[in-house]
Amino acid sequence: MIVNFWRILFCFTLALVSYGLFSEPVESSFKIPDYLLHFSTFFLLSFFLTKATNFFMASILISFYAPITEIIQFFLPYRDATLSDLFFNYLGIFFNFFYLKFIENSF
């Protein structure tokens, strides 16, 4: 039962993140730095995916999703693909795995 919860949460988050990454940006008065968005997004995605599957499967899937998003953004005229975005994507993934391996397991 709990696995279904994490899978549903991951799918919902993946859909929301994909929409945000691939849709045309909208001007807003609420500004969050781009690097913080990439870091937190991929931290949460990898966390939910790890809880839904296992560590090995999650690391493979999320490691492919991060560069694929930047490749797709490269071809969208209203988006920019940068190496710094990819770096913060992987940094969020790394910090999630660090959290799960060392901090969550210590409690």
Side-chain angles (χ1 to χ4, degrees):
M1 181 66 179
I2 195 74
V3 172
N4 290 335
F5 168 76
W6 290 113
R7 286 184 181 165
I8 291 169
L9 192 57
F10 169 73
C11 290
F12 177 75
T13 307
L14 181 65
L16 191 63
V17 165
S18 296
Y19 176 77
L21 287 172
F22 305 134
S23 65
E24 195 163 353
V26 179
E27 288 298 320
S28 173
S29 61
F30 185 66
K31 299 283 185 188
I32 299 175
D34 193 41
Y35 65 90
L36 188 58
L37 285 173
H38 282 270
F39 177 85
S40 57
T41 296
F42 278 85
F43 181 89
L44 287 175
L45 276 176
S46 59
F47 179 80
F48 295 150
L49 184 59
T50 304
K51 293 291 191 178
T53 59
N54 60 47
F55 187 82
F56 178 74
M57 182 64 75
S59 60
I60 289 175
L61 291 175
I62 202 72
S63 294
F64 281 120
Y65 182 68
I68 287 171
T69 61
E70 295 304 318
I71 292 169
I72 292 171
Q73 286 182 3
F74 177 77
F75 293 105
L76 296 175
Y78 47 83
R79 288 287 184 182
D80 294 326
T82 64
L83 289 177
S84 65
D85 288 349
L86 187 60
F87 172 77
F88 282 103
N89 291 351
Y90 279 118
L91 195 62
I93 294 167
F94 171 76
F95 269 80
N96 167 63
F97 292 149
F98 176 81
Y99 170 77
L100 289 174
K101 282 292 187 188
F102 298 108
I103 297 174
E104 188 177 81
N105 289 335
S106 67
F107 293 110

